Amino acid sequence: MFGDLIQHLHRPDVAAAALASLPDPDLARRVEAAAEDAGLDTPDYVAALVRGFMDHADDDRWLQIVGVMGKSPDPGLAALEAILRQAVEHEATHHAQPTGGRRL
């Protein structure tokens, strides 16, 4: 269940197994690299991303996740993958923006 998965993502064995189970190994590598860049252990980083989503996602993002879950034989893993993908892409976009000056 998704609830069980997110409750235990802080455990290194659970986070490692979840990342290893992702259908996209490149996403797992990107998450691990982002964790290293943030100075966090990968399990703590993954747990923080999921908690951040749970606490701050708007209705549209939740609807996307529910849609992804409904189409998958493994809804929990599909939700985790979608959350991590959104977070990593957001971080990449955020860091790609120039610092300083005005944003349009």
Side-chain angles (χ1 to χ4, degrees), residues 46-68:
V46 169
L49 291 178
V50 173
R51 271 194 311 274
F53 179 88
M54 303 290 285
D55 292 343
H56 302 290
D58 61 19
D59 291 342
D60 288 337
R61 290 179 66 203
W62 270 109
L63 187 58
Q64 290 173 351
I65 297 299
V66 170
V68 166

Side-chain angles (χ1 to χ4, degrees), residues 54-94:
M54 303 290 285
D55 292 343
H56 302 290
D58 61 19
D59 291 342
D60 288 337
R61 290 179 66 203
W62 270 109
L63 187 58
Q64 290 173 351
I65 297 299
V66 170
V68 166
M69 291 173 74
K71 296 176 185 174
S72 174
D74 188 344
L77 184 61
L80 177 64
E81 179 180 21
I83 290 168
L84 294 177
R85 185 175 308 285
Q86 286 180 10
V88 169
E89 289 172 0
H90 177 266
E91 284 297 313
T93 301
H94 178 71

Side-chain angles (χ1 to χ4, degrees), residues 29-46:
R29 285 189 292 275
R30 290 171 59 201
V31 169
E32 290 167 349
E36 186 176 326
D37 288 347
L40 296 171
D41 292 332
T42 300
D44 294 334
Y45 185 74
V46 169

